[in-house]
Amino acid sequence: MTSKYALPIVVAGSIVLAGCFDGSSSSSDPAPVTTQVRVIHGVSDAPAVNVGIDGDIAIAGADFKQAAILDPAVGSYSVTVDGLLPGGATTTVIGPADLTFEEGIRYDVIASGSVGAGTVAPIVLADDGERTDPDSVRLRVVHLSPDADQAASGPVDVYLTLAADGNALPAEPSFTFSFGEDVGPLEVGADTYRVRVTPENSDTVVYDSGEVPLPSGADLLIGAVDNTGANRTHMDASPVSLIVANGADVTELFDVEQQAGVRAVHNSADAPNVDVLVDNSVAFANLAFPDVVPGASLDAYAKVPAGTRNVKVTPAGNNSDVRIEADLDLVNAQGYTVVALNLLADIEALVLEDSVRSIATQATVRVVHGSTLAGPVNVYLLPEGETNVNVAQPVLTDVPFKANSGYLAVTPGIYNLVVTDDSGNAAIGPAEVNLQVGGIYTAIARDTQALDGADLILLDDFVLGN
């Protein structure tokens, strides 16, 4: 499967260091004195970004919650952060900002705020790295979640307790802070801890990390960021997750009760209604072709505990006749779409990992080939009012059965979606689609129930919320 990118579409790649900015010198010059600068993308509704220093790209394609480390020579620099737009264009979201990096100091330059609210700005932290105990755990904590302040109506209290101390909150929080503020460095003993967050002067816990081991000698930067995981729209969902940066490595801690999100799609045109069992209990009953349960709208998942879960698909009411069985390793806060596809004789499961993160500069589109009647297909997004595929190049070419495009960034607007076979014959569409800014859209190609053509199953922001 290849992408022509004829339309304004771009796929964010992995973070790339494009330069180290350690100054220029001849072989006879002494080596420049350098420092360490860690750059972190902390804006939940922003696209991937390029980071420029003195007009040159130093970091390319950094996405939300990614970090990279540069080693520039000490001195002053002009720093910019440019968001990657569909079609390859960029827009400056931070800067130019003049920053000075000194010898013996480590720096964190963190993009924070919200694109939608127009509040993107850098947070710059300077750290001399000193510690009183080499075996302690050294922590710096920064509040990067504008959503948390809105949900909590102001500052939040943070409790860092030993996991062995039980559930009771201490009389006083470890610290209190608001969006944009930081705390530390703090030194604590190596042990297993629990992080809980409440609104200021409240005992209502809005985030609980569960048990988190902190190893001896670790030096960690912890950021509270907007929760962009699955199940985030549930009434009891936490507004935040925590990112933990150890050097350039970043891990994420979601609220322990967030759980994985799972939905099921019946995409086998000649199969009867089915039951879907999770760990031998019926999770979805009497699912008919081509329906989606518990809902097709964005983030409309059933909450399922993380871990290895056995999933079975059987004819409705006959759970001993197992047609599909798979063990799925479910991750906390990850959304999954489990598609029963192919004809009944060869029915199988296709498991998709979903994204529910809205990006304020684009529409986000995913196309899945689930029709048995079409071979490799081409996918077109034609301008509004245009139906002739001969005037445009396909967005995706040679998409095989069971493949999906991944999430593509598209300029918002009204398009005609057309799917053709390799001969250019339209198998699906033209279907008018209105791709709105910040929207997330999934389309699954399917057979018609009469097995005489193809159609679409529409998910996420193609459908209204429940």
Side-chain angles (χ1 to χ4, degrees):
M1 175 175 58
T2 59
S3 175
K4 297 296 186 184
Y5 305 125
L7 281 174
I9 291 175
V10 64
V11 181
S14 300
I15 193 167
V16 175
L17 295 182
C20 61
F21 296 90
D22 57 1
S24 60
S25 61
S26 69
S27 59
S28 61
D29 292 335
V33 177
T34 63
T35 187
Q36 184 183 94
V37 179
R38 177 167 52 191
V39 180
I40 299 176
H41 186 330
V43 182
S44 66
D45 66 345
V49 299
N50 293 337
V51 179
I53 298 183
D54 287 349
D56 294 317
I57 295 177
I59 301 170
D63 212 344
F64 178 49
K65 298 179 291 193
Q66 288 187 327
I69 292 178
L70 301 173
D71 298 298
V74 298
S76 296
Y77 297 89
S78 177
V79 178
T80 57
V81 177
D82 296 326
L84 303 182
L85 301 178
T90 62
T91 183
T92 299
V93 294
I94 294 177
D98 293 327
L99 301 179
T100 299
F101 304 130
E102 299 179 1
E103 183 180 357
I105 303 295
R106 299 178 305 178
Y107 296 88
D108 285 291
V109 180
I110 308 170
S112 68
S114 166
V115 172
T119 58
V120 177
I123 294 175
V124 181
L125 305 180
D127 183 14
D128 61 12
E130 291 185 359
R131 61 196 309 159
T132 59
D133 181 355
D135 295 323
S136 69
V137 181
R138 190 173 186 274
L139 305 174
R140 289 172 298 144
V141 187
V142 58
H143 190 327
L144 302 174
S145 173
D147 281 358
D149 263 12
Q150 294 168 11
S153 300
V156 295
D157 291 336
V158 179
Y159 297 82
L160 178 65
T161 58
L162 291 171
D165 287 347
N167 293 326
L169 288 174
E172 298 293 333
S174 303
F175 54 87
T176 301
F177 65 174
S178 299
F179 171 67
E181 296 180 343
D182 64 281
V183 174
L186 310 172
E187 289 188 56
V188 298
D191 212 319
T192 299
Y193 288 86
R194 185 177 179 186
V195 181
R196 283 171 287 181
V197 178
T198 74
E200 187 178 24
N201 298 321
S202 170
D203 60 1
T204 300
V205 175
V206 297
Y207 172 85
D208 184 347
S209 69
E211 295 188 357
V212 180
L214 298 181
S216 173
D219 192 341
L220 307 174
L221 176 69
I222 300 176
V225 297
D226 294 339
N227 179 5
T228 57
N231 303 322
R232 64 184 176 84
T233 57
H234 284 243
M235 289 295 293
D236 58 350
S238 174
V240 301
S241 61
L242 299 183
I243 57 171
V244 182
N246 182 6
D249 296 327
V250 179
T251 56
E252 186 166 17
L253 302 174
F254 288 95
D255 184 273
V256 70
E257 294 298 330
Q258 188 153 341
Q259 304 188 23
V262 178
R263 64 183 171 186
V265 180
H266 190 326
N267 189 29
S268 178
D270 67 340
N273 292 8
V274 299
D275 292 340
V276 180
L277 288 73
V278 177
D279 290 343
N280 294 315
S281 294
V282 175
F284 309 119
N286 203 31
L287 175 60
F289 173 81
D291 291 344
V292 184
V293 288
S297 60
L298 187 70
D299 206 29
Y301 297 112
K303 294 177 69 173
V304 178
T308 301
R309 303 287 165 226
N310 179 263
V311 176
K312 297 182 177 73
V313 177
T314 73
N318 184 10
N319 299 154
S320 62
D321 184 9
V322 177
R323 299 302 181 93
I324 299 174
E325 182 173 6
D327 288 329
L328 304 183
D329 293 324
L330 305 183
V331 175
N332 191 29
Q334 176 63 55
Y336 301 88
T337 298
V338 181
V339 185
L341 83 168
N342 221 326
L343 299 179
L344 180 59
D346 298 304
I347 194 169
E348 58 186 307
L350 175 66
V351 181
L352 305 172
E353 292 191 359
D354 302 336
S355 173
V356 297
R357 181 171 74 93
S358 175
I359 300 175
T361 58
Q362 66 187 53
T364 304
V365 181
R366 177 176 60 173
V367 179
V368 182
H369 186 343
S371 171
T372 67
L373 300 179
V377 298
N378 303 319
V379 179
Y380 295 80
L381 283 175
L382 303 176
E384 182 180 9
E386 181 61 69
T387 60
N388 182 6
V389 298
N390 294 320
V391 303
Q393 292 294 318
V395 176
L396 298 167
T397 61
D398 297 322
V399 183
F401 178 53
K402 297 187 285 187
N404 81 86
S405 66
Y407 287 100
L408 306 175
V410 180
T411 299
I414 297 175
Y415 299 92
N416 274 326
L417 172 64
V418 181
V419 179
T420 72
D421 61 22
D422 278 346
S423 298
N425 301 310
I428 298 173
E432 185 176 276
V433 293
N434 184 3
L435 306 180
Q436 298 184 6
V437 64
I440 302 169
Y441 303 89
T442 296
I444 303 176
R446 66 169 178 88
D447 301 334
T448 60
Q449 195 153 26
L451 294 177
D452 58 359
D455 206 336
L456 293 172
I457 298 172
L458 299 179
L459 305 175
D460 301 329
D461 283 328
F462 275 128
V463 301
L464 295 176
N466 293 335

